[in-house]
Amino acid sequence: MPDFNDLTLLPFCAGLTLLGLIASWAAWRRRGLASGVRGVAWSLLPVSLYMTGLLELLWDVVKSVTSWVTHLIFSPTVWAGVALFGVSVVLYVVSGVAMARRGDAPEKVAKPKPASDAIGELTASGPPAASAKPTKQAKPAKAPKAGKSQESSEFDEIEDILKRHGIN
């Protein structure tokens, strides 16, 4: 591939800019000011790239990519590297599927619910905030009757807890 040559690129960039400016003038006459200004913006790019040194950088990138592609096609070592990359991606995906089946998948962070959604809901963080107004007033707990067995008193306690949290 030919090397970057300052002497040939400066006239080339200046010529592209000059042709672009002429086309911009024609676009301005035919289609209006906006088209002409947009054409001037595109026309100034070749000279600006040359003056900032970005044209040389762009040339080096294109040259490097072209060299890499030609070496990729004819090099068994590079193809072995591409195959290893593919195997690593497949193994990573398989491990994620295996973790999900086992239940070891990392837990997703749950988004906090707004206070209006948390009213009447029993949560691990405790009752809803004091600023949240419950929709139903909690009723006082009923005293268990003396004639009930131990099981019914446990159910009554659970029922009272649920009622206090607004769960019916």
Side-chain angles (χ1 to χ4, degrees):
M1 184 166 236
D3 236 359
F4 184 79
N5 188 351
D6 282 340
L7 294 177
T8 57
L9 281 179
L10 179 60
F12 179 70
C13 290
L16 281 177
T17 298
L18 185 61
L19 286 174
L21 290 173
I22 292 169
S24 299
W25 178 76
W28 173 63
R29 298 285 289 169
R30 287 191 183 135
R31 289 181 277 169
L33 181 65
S35 295
V37 171
R38 182 168 287 177
V40 170
W42 281 104
S43 300
L44 295 176
L45 282 179
V47 170
S48 67
L49 289 174
Y50 176 81
M51 292 175 73
T52 58
L54 289 174
L55 190 61
E56 184 176 0
L57 178 67
L58 183 64
W59 179 266
D60 289 341
V61 168
V62 169
K63 185 177 172 183
S64 296
V65 168
T66 304
S67 173
W68 178 78
V69 167
T70 57
H71 285 107
L72 172 75
I73 294 172
F74 299 113
S75 174
T77 306
V78 173
W79 280 106
V82 169
L84 283 176
F85 181 79
V87 167
S88 70
V89 168
V90 168
L91 289 176
Y92 183 79
V93 170
V94 166
S95 71
V97 170
M99 287 174 69
R101 283 190 179 178
R102 249 187 41 201
D104 290 347
E107 295 181 17
K108 294 181 180 177
V109 177
K111 293 182 181 175
K113 293 182 179 179
S116 62
D117 291 350
I119 293 174
E121 184 175 311
L122 186 59
T123 61
S125 63
S131 63
K133 296 181 181 178
T135 56
K136 296 181 181 178
Q137 294 294 332
K139 296 179 183 176
K142 295 180 183 177
K145 294 181 182 177
K148 290 190 175 181
S149 67
Q150 178 68 21
E151 282 184 22
S152 71
S153 68
E154 287 178 8
F155 286 123
D156 288 339
E157 289 177 21
I158 293 171
E159 187 176 323
D160 290 338
I161 292 171
L162 292 174
K163 285 181 181 179
R164 276 187 276 161
H165 287 284
I167 300 173
N168 292 330

